[in-house]
Amino acid sequence: MSDLTSGPGSSAAVEAVGVERNFDGADGNVIRVLRGVDLRLGRGETVSIVGPSGSGKSTLLHILGGLDLPSSGRIALGGRDVANLDDVQLARVRNRYVGFVFQFHHLLRDFTALENVMMPQLIAGTSRPAARKRALELLDQVGLADRSGHVPAKLSGGEQQRVATARALANEPPVLLADEPSGNLDLDTSEVLHDVLFDLVRDHGTAMVVVTHNTALASRTDRILRLSSGVLELAEPHEDPQAGGD
Ligand SMILES: Nc1ncnc2c1ncn2[C@@H]1O[C@H](COP(=O)(O)OP(=O)(O)OP(=O)(O)O)[C@@H](O)[C@H]1O
Ligand SMILES: [Mg+2]
């Protein structure tokens, strides 16, 4: 369906064409998880991906972000086909073009919130003063200016996810990929995180793909897509993200 693949604007922040991903099953069979996924996100566009457990949502997100490679098909990040990159080039493209937020924060536990948000910038070659300035701005935007000196263990789950969001956007990537970002949070804390996510992607013009079971979160994105039988299809705006399946 063409309306799945075409977002607004001509240059895609991220693009998947005919993506398939197979895994080797324990019994020697091939597990065909993704069977031809097409997705194109224009600048600033937001999409949620829903679908039952095991339908391949995380697999797709990892492939979109260059953490995993498709068995066949094509992924372009910032207009560059990831298949043509060696490991060093791919790491560089990921660092610059993609931010990730996972269900669990994955912050570096021995480093403060400020240092965690500085880290991707230092890896990208940003000077320490510039990285620090930008990290402080981002921590302020996620409402944690007064927590910049705290290590992750001294922060609540919601605060950890907000630091992870600030870190994901530290290098101003064109695309943010979030896998159940509020899956571990209670209702009120989830809403604070969702507000932070949407405020940030709007302010920075970041495209966002969010995998979620959360109806409130999904309904805030421009499109809701369902991963079903290995392909993406448009979901009804108000259907239950957990319903349906293979
Ligand atoms: N490295 C792997 N090797 C073999 N099978 C895998 C591998 N990674 C994922 N799978 C299988 O691919 C399928 C999709 O997994 P995936 O984690 O993408 O699902 P999901 O939609 O994110 O589920 P959930 O909602 O529970 O997070 C599952 O059947 C899983 O067992
Ligand atoms: Mg998953």
Side-chain angles (χ1 to χ4, degrees):
M1 285 191 284
S2 61
D3 55 343
L4 286 183
T5 56
S6 53
S10 56
S11 64
V14 62
E15 186 167 23
V17 180
V19 164
E20 300 187 4
R21 183 65 170 103
N22 304 324
F23 292 114
D24 294 329
D27 52 4
N29 290 340
V30 173
I31 308 169
R32 297 182 64 205
V33 176
L34 303 178
R35 300 175 177 220
V37 168
D38 296 317
L39 179 66
R40 185 180 193 282
L41 259 79
R43 184 179 150 78
E45 195 188 1
T46 60
V47 162
S48 46
I49 296 179
V50 302
S53 182
S55 56
K57 304 180 298 296
S58 296
T59 301
L60 174 58
L61 214 62
H62 292 163
I63 288 175
L64 288 175
L67 289 173
D68 184 21
L69 293 174
S71 305
S72 65
R74 195 173 68 80
I75 295 288
L77 279 171
R80 301 184 66 176
D81 190 333
V82 303
N84 298 331
L85 307 177
D86 64 30
D87 286 351
V88 173
Q89 291 170 322
L90 183 56
R92 204 173 293 146
V93 165
R94 267 202 307 266
N95 175 257
R96 185 158 162 220
Y97 288 98
V98 197
F100 287 98
V101 180
F102 299 98
Q103 183 171 354
F104 301 98
H105 58 78
H106 295 300
L107 296 169
L108 298 169
R109 60 177 213 174
D110 295 330
F111 292 85
T112 64
L114 178 67
E115 290 164 341
N116 267 281
V117 182
M118 288 173 66
M119 200 69 74
Q121 304 178 76
L122 298 177
I123 291 168
T126 306
S127 73
R128 197 161 256 284
R132 181 183 158 82
K133 180 168 180 285
R134 169 142 180 84
L136 287 170
E137 283 167 6
L138 277 163
L139 286 169
D140 187 37
Q141 285 172 28
V142 301
L144 292 173
D146 57 340
R147 302 296 167 87
S148 62
H150 285 48
V151 294
K154 295 274 171 69
L155 299 170
S156 72
E159 289 166 348
Q160 289 165 349
Q161 287 301 75
R162 282 189 273 154
V163 176
T165 303
R167 180 183 59 175
L169 293 174
N171 285 335
E172 293 251 18
V175 60
L176 178 68
L177 303 175
D179 197 349
E180 294 283 6
S182 51
N184 207 29
L185 305 177
D186 65 36
L187 202 65
D188 290 346
T189 315
S190 295
E191 276 178 21
V192 173
L193 180 71
H194 300 164
D195 288 344
V196 160
L197 275 173
F198 282 93
D199 284 352
L200 282 176
V201 298
R202 189 195 56 229
D203 290 353
H204 296 267
T206 317
M208 174 166 71
V209 182
V210 58
V211 166
T212 185
H213 289 295
N214 186 306
T215 318
L217 173 55
S219 65
R220 290 176 70 165
T221 59
D222 299 328
R223 285 183 289 165
I224 305 178
L225 303 180
R226 165 176 296 282
L227 190 55
S228 177
S229 303
V231 296
L232 280 178
E233 55 192 33
L234 275 173
E236 293 303 317
H238 300 298
E239 79 175 89
D240 176 359
Q242 295 193 63
D246 296 336

